[in-house]
Amino acid sequence: MAASSALLSMSKIIKPLWGGRLGNAAKILGPTLTSCREKSSHTGENIPPPAKYGGRHTVTLIPGDGIGPELLNHVREVFRFSCVPVDFEVVHVNSSLTTEDDINNAITAIRRNGVALKGNIETNHIMPPSVKSRNNLLRTSLDLYANVMHCQSLPGVQTRHKDIDIMIIRENTEGEYSSLEHESVSGVVESLKIITRNNSLRIADYAFRLAREKGRRRVTAVHKANIMKLGDGLFLQCCREVAAGYPDIKFDNMIVDNTTMQLVSKPEQFDVMVMPNLYGNVVSNVCAGLVGGPGLVPGANYGRDYAVFETATRNTGKSIADRNIANPTAMLLASCMMLDHLKLYDHATSIRNAVLITMNETRLHTADIGGQGTTLEVVQSIMRIIQSKGQLIAEL
């Protein structure tokens, strides 16, 4: 309550004004992270829904669990402050329920609006096997087949490795996340891993097209085909077939266990990485750790018809919820990716630059990256920077 009151007081003292647009402060991180204007074009399929109601967009907002609700409240405050023409349809999903009514309501809302911003929904492993992960149901029901994560070093954040710039493309709908398990006899469980040719070709082509549009030079397929010769062998073969159509991009492959070792020892060797579902989960968490942790990296899930934006590593952060210490950077950057997808480029650039200036120049950091700032203090700093750059703002 105190944090919310302080943010409200902060916003009241800032008067509305017009001024020049925020310049090119995004050079801090280069063009790949700071501009996603081609996001809908590189799939050739996912076109954002048109604005309505006088140029405003409606976006489904799923607060999720842990730190999700408080971080998304801050996103809404920043959007109001910056006069972003987005209205949120809030849909709550209760992760403790065994029925699927709530997640079905959320899926229906996303189908209606086309775009969503979400916090992570907890998946409790002690619940009955019949209860499926809400996050997984959402991705498979909407066929959000491509999970995209861009791990890039922030100059203002101290890490062991510097100059990391890796794009991770994760197949999002099958593999070990197919939720097909059964106990054949007592004490023997079979868990099915599904790899299909169509989906493997689709994600491989997505990765190569994205690499070409972003000016990348190399795509690495991550696999375990030396052991899973049929499943991962099929995935690797599909990647090779697609690579043949992109002679301007170098293609190589690496076994997943070696990949994790190479990432923590020589991460600069990687450019674009494409992989099946489970390996993508592991590799994305490793990469997030390399650049400073889960509080810094945004993520997106793209399908033919829908797009859902969230933090890249999908952590709920329950242990730090409601303590005003969570890092808002990843969620705010995810919201900027969403604004780019909606073609609200000026608003996306303004908020993104303010976040990056806070991280790299002001260096107001939360405890997870070695600072002493609170969540609210970081958000207030971002809002002050937006004001100082002359962006249109509003009194809340």
Side-chain angles (χ1 to χ4, degrees):
M1 181 66 69
S4 300
S5 300
L7 181 57
L8 187 59
S9 300
M10 160 65 193
S11 59
K12 285 183 176 179
I13 67 173
I14 303 176
K15 301 299 182 182
L17 56 93
W18 275 103
R21 294 294 180 182
L22 186 59
N24 198 22
K27 289 180 179 177
I28 297 168
L29 285 182
T32 50
L33 178 61
T34 58
S35 177
C36 299
R37 296 191 178 210
E38 307 86 356
K39 184 57 72 176
S40 62
S41 66
H42 64 63
T43 66
E45 300 166 336
N46 191 324
I47 300 174
K52 49 188 176 182
Y53 307 127
R56 300 187 66 84
H57 296 264
T58 301
V59 170
T60 302
L61 187 141
I62 305 172
D65 296 309
I67 60 176
E70 60 183 296
L71 294 185
L72 287 169
N73 279 338
H74 286 302
V75 169
R76 296 173 74 181
E77 295 289 350
V78 172
F79 274 30
R80 291 192 195 104
F81 180 76
S82 302
C83 297
V84 177
V86 166
D87 299 311
F88 288 107
E89 178 186 0
V90 181
V91 181
H92 294 280
V93 177
N94 188 340
S95 60
S96 64
L97 298 179
T98 56
T99 63
E100 297 179 359
D101 293 343
D102 52 353
I103 190 63
N104 288 335
N105 290 337
I107 291 169
T108 299
I110 297 172
R111 287 195 171 115
R112 178 167 56 246
N113 299 321
V115 180
L117 182 65
K118 69 179 282 287
N120 196 48
I121 305 166
E122 184 181 19
T123 302
N124 195 331
H125 68 279
I126 66 173
M127 296 187 78
S130 59
V131 179
K132 297 182 179 179
S133 163
R134 273 29 181 182
N135 302 291
N136 198 30
L137 276 173
L138 189 148
R139 295 191 291 268
T140 54
S141 298
L142 299 174
D143 195 27
L144 301 171
Y145 65 89
N147 175 247
V148 180
M149 170 183 175
H150 186 185
C151 275
Q152 193 167 11
S153 297
L154 295 169
V157 178
Q158 293 297 317
T159 56
R160 181 180 297 273
H161 297 282
K162 306 296 181 184
D163 301 321
I164 295 173
D165 186 4
I166 304 171
M167 299 197 75
I168 299 170
I169 314 300
R170 168 186 176 185
E171 205 293 319
N172 222 12
T173 60
E174 57 180 23
E176 293 84 356
Y177 288 66
S178 302
S179 300
L180 297 173
E181 295 183 303
H182 63 273
E183 188 174 31
S184 52
V185 296
S186 180
V188 178
V189 173
E190 293 179 298
S191 181
L192 302 182
K193 170 178 176 173
I194 306 299
I195 299 289
T196 64
R197 177 175 174 80
N198 285 343
N199 287 349
S200 297
L201 289 171
R202 180 171 67 168
I203 196 64
D205 188 61
Y206 186 100
F208 276 92
R209 275 190 284 170
L210 180 60
R212 177 176 284 174
E213 290 193 10
K214 296 298 183 182
R216 301 286 180 139
R217 298 180 178 179
R218 179 182 179 189
V219 173
T220 301
V222 179
H223 63 92
K224 191 66 176 173
N226 59 326
I227 301 299
M228 286 169 274
K229 299 182 184 296
L230 293 179
D232 282 21
L234 174 60
F235 179 85
L236 181 57
Q237 177 59 34
C238 290
C239 290
R240 286 173 172 152
E241 291 178 20
V242 171
Y246 294 84
D248 52 317
I249 299 174
K250 181 180 178 180
F251 172 71
D252 60 7
N253 67 87
M254 189 175 292
I255 295 173
V256 61
D257 39 332
N258 183 36
T259 301
T260 57
M261 182 185 69
Q262 295 294 329
L263 278 170
V264 299
S265 57
K266 295 187 292 183
E268 64 278 357
Q269 67 183 288
F270 295 103
D271 192 356
V272 176
M273 307 172 74
V274 60
M275 61 206 75
N277 211 333
L278 178 61
Y279 310 152
N281 191 5
V282 175
V283 169
S284 62
N285 277 267
V286 172
C287 287
L290 290 173
V291 298
L296 295 175
V297 188
N301 305 278
Y302 296 104
R304 189 190 67 179
D305 302 310
Y306 312 106
V308 175
F309 301 86
E310 59 186 340
T311 58
T313 59
R314 301 168 178 171
N315 297 305
T316 57
K318 287 186 69 175
S319 62
I320 59 172
D322 301 316
R323 294 173 56 189
N324 195 28
I325 60 174
N327 192 335
T329 303
M331 191 65 80
L332 284 167
L333 291 177
S335 73
C336 292
M337 294 178 70
M338 181 193 75
L339 293 178
D340 280 320
H341 180 72
L342 295 173
K343 300 185 179 180
L344 298 172
Y345 303 125
D346 287 344
H347 290 289
T349 300
S350 171
I351 296 171
R352 181 184 289 115
N353 287 349
V355 171
L356 297 179
I357 290 171
T358 298
M359 288 293 103
N360 298 320
E361 297 181 17
T362 310
R363 300 204 177 192
L364 179 56
H365 296 165
T366 46
D368 59 307
I369 51 175
Q372 297 181 337
T374 65
T375 309
L376 181 57
E377 288 171 342
V378 172
V379 173
Q380 288 176 338
S381 173
I382 291 166
M383 293 168 70
R384 283 194 295 268
I385 292 168
I386 292 172
Q387 181 200 21
S388 70
K389 300 299 181 180
Q391 182 72 19
L392 174 65
I393 57 175
E395 188 172 355
L396 300 182

